[in-house]
Amino acid sequence: MSEQLKPLSLIYNKKSGFHAANKDEVYEQLVADLSTAGFEIQSFELSECINFDQMMQDILLRHRQAENVGVVVAAGGDGTLNAVASKLMGTDIPMGILPLGTFNYVARVLNIPLDLLDAAKAISEGQPRSVHVAQLNQHIYLNNASLGLYPLFIQKREQFNKHFGRFPLHAYTSALDVLIRDRKELKLEVEVDGQRYPVKTPLIFFGNNQLQLAEMKLRIAKAAEAGKVAGVVVAKSDKRTLFKTLWQLIKGNLDQASDVYSFAADEVIVHSKRNKLTVAVDGEIVTMTPPLKITVRKHALNVMVPA
């Protein structure tokens, strides 16, 4: 009796270029390799016309009904990984990653190869590893969440990407453009493990990816690795301070910037008198009603990594 094929659901974002003409041969080889490894593959495209929640319900049912739960693969950038991870948290179904983002911090921190065929090999021959997932109200973030100027950076970066292509440099050029044109100061009260602090800030940044935080030379990288809420607050909003902060960020010395404070906690609550706050969550812009409660769910998601 032949061995039953394992279900593999491949969820991809067409905007990431997964089916671009120059990737056709790679895609065909990837499917062939995964099929040879004993997977029964079904592909699902993310688009605005598809009900994502219903699609994921159908996918999870497929995997739960199989003798072997198989793997659900997210092919794309931060937004795609975030969406898929939010539905796999707390289940025994592991997530595979085919990295197609700009910086690919999630893949890199887990030593998942950036080459798609090698990443597929990690899915077929690797092992599941449990990872921490940060949560901000009803949303999760694998890399970071932020308020203030950072959401403006994201919006401007997407405009650069749309017109000139997707390049890491745009993360810095968009930031520079926003600093020249916009200054946004938030009056907040930040509650850190029960202790409240009044804050006037142009930017609060929460990081869950220790690699990203380490590359920014932030000491809280170790805290994020241990499953703590890791945050950064910029205390002044004048242009001179913001340009100096951006320069330190580019040099990878953000911890040495004046008026930049980092902290770690089990729980952070952001209070505001505003009815709505704009938040960037893993590169996606969402509007939330305060207070914003930030925690970390430890070992909440299983990801396939190289053995």
Side-chain angles (χ1 to χ4, degrees):
M1 186 175 178
S2 61
E3 185 179 349
Q4 185 180 20
L5 294 176
K6 299 168 288 186
L8 186 149
S9 298
L10 176 57
I11 303 169
Y12 68 94
N13 188 341
K14 194 172 183 180
K15 293 180 180 178
S16 67
F18 186 61
H19 273 305
N22 62 347
K23 287 191 172 73
D24 278 349
E25 290 184 8
V26 174
Y27 173 73
E28 291 173 6
Q29 186 62 53
L30 184 150
V31 170
D33 291 348
L34 290 172
S35 298
T36 301
F39 288 106
E40 182 181 23
I41 303 168
Q42 290 185 12
S43 295
F44 303 85
E45 179 190 345
L46 289 176
S47 67
E48 294 179 359
C49 60
I50 292 175
N51 185 322
F52 178 74
D53 290 340
Q54 184 60 55
M55 183 185 79
M56 287 301 301
Q57 285 182 26
D58 295 340
I59 289 172
L60 293 179
L61 181 62
R62 176 195 181 212
H63 287 261
R64 287 178 179 134
Q65 290 179 336
E67 184 178 318
N68 184 308
V69 295
V71 60
V72 176
V73 178
D78 290 347
T80 303
L81 268 59
N82 182 299
V84 175
S86 68
K87 301 300 182 181
L88 292 179
M89 286 172 54
T91 75
D92 60 347
I93 305 170
M95 183 172 81
I97 294 176
L98 294 176
L100 290 165
T102 304
F103 293 102
N104 297 307
Y105 278 115
V106 176
R108 288 167 54 203
V109 77
L110 295 171
N111 296 316
I112 295 171
L114 300 186
D115 177 87
L116 291 183
L117 295 181
D118 289 338
K121 190 174 180 180
I123 292 169
S124 61
E125 300 179 7
Q127 59 192 21
R129 173 180 166 184
S130 64
V131 300
H132 307 317
V133 178
Q135 184 151 355
L136 195 161
N137 286 6
Q138 73 272 30
H139 296 271
I140 69 164
Y141 60 95
L142 302 175
N143 280 327
N144 58 66
S146 54
L147 296 84
L149 287 175
Y150 200 80
L152 297 179
F153 296 164
I154 297 294
Q155 291 170 329
K156 184 63 66 173
R157 185 191 70 191
E158 290 308 306
Q159 293 177 17
F160 277 88
N161 290 340
K162 183 177 180 180
H163 288 94
F164 305 111
R166 195 169 289 273
F167 299 103
L169 177 62
H170 293 167
Y172 300 113
T173 53
S174 60
L176 184 61
D177 186 84
V178 167
L179 292 186
I180 292 172
R181 300 171 187 268
D182 301 282
R183 272 193 299 164
K184 189 175 183 180
E185 186 174 72
L186 296 172
K187 293 182 180 179
L188 307 169
E189 196 170 53
V190 180
E191 185 177 344
V192 181
D193 284 343
Q195 184 69 41
R196 292 195 176 208
Y197 302 92
V199 172
K200 289 175 66 176
T201 177
L203 173 64
I204 295 185
F205 178 95
F206 297 99
N208 185 60
N209 188 301
Q210 63 263 31
L211 175 62
Q212 183 182 38
L213 296 172
E215 288 189 356
M216 296 164 71
K217 297 295 189 294
L218 288 168
R219 288 165 289 185
I220 52 173
K222 287 290 185 183
E225 185 178 6
K228 295 277 191 179
V229 177
V232 177
V233 176
V234 178
K236 287 186 178 180
S237 60
D238 62 279
K239 284 196 174 182
R240 184 170 181 270
T241 296
L242 294 177
F243 277 114
K244 285 171 62 179
T245 301
L246 177 61
W247 178 239
Q248 294 290 356
L249 174 62
I250 292 171
K251 292 197 302 180
N253 294 323
L254 191 57
D255 244 0
Q256 298 177 20
S258 58
D259 302 304
V260 173
Y261 303 93
S262 58
F263 60 92
D266 291 318
E267 179 184 88
V268 175
I269 301 176
V270 177
H271 302 270
S272 174
K273 292 183 179 179
R274 297 189 181 197
N275 294 325
K276 300 289 183 181
L277 289 172
T278 300
V279 186
V281 182
D282 279 347
E284 302 295 321
I285 306 299
V286 295
T287 302
M288 297 189 192
T289 302
L292 308 181
K293 181 180 177 181
I294 304 101
T295 56
V296 175
R297 295 174 60 177
K298 296 184 179 181
H299 307 294
L301 176 69
N302 292 315
V303 181
M304 295 301 296
V305 300

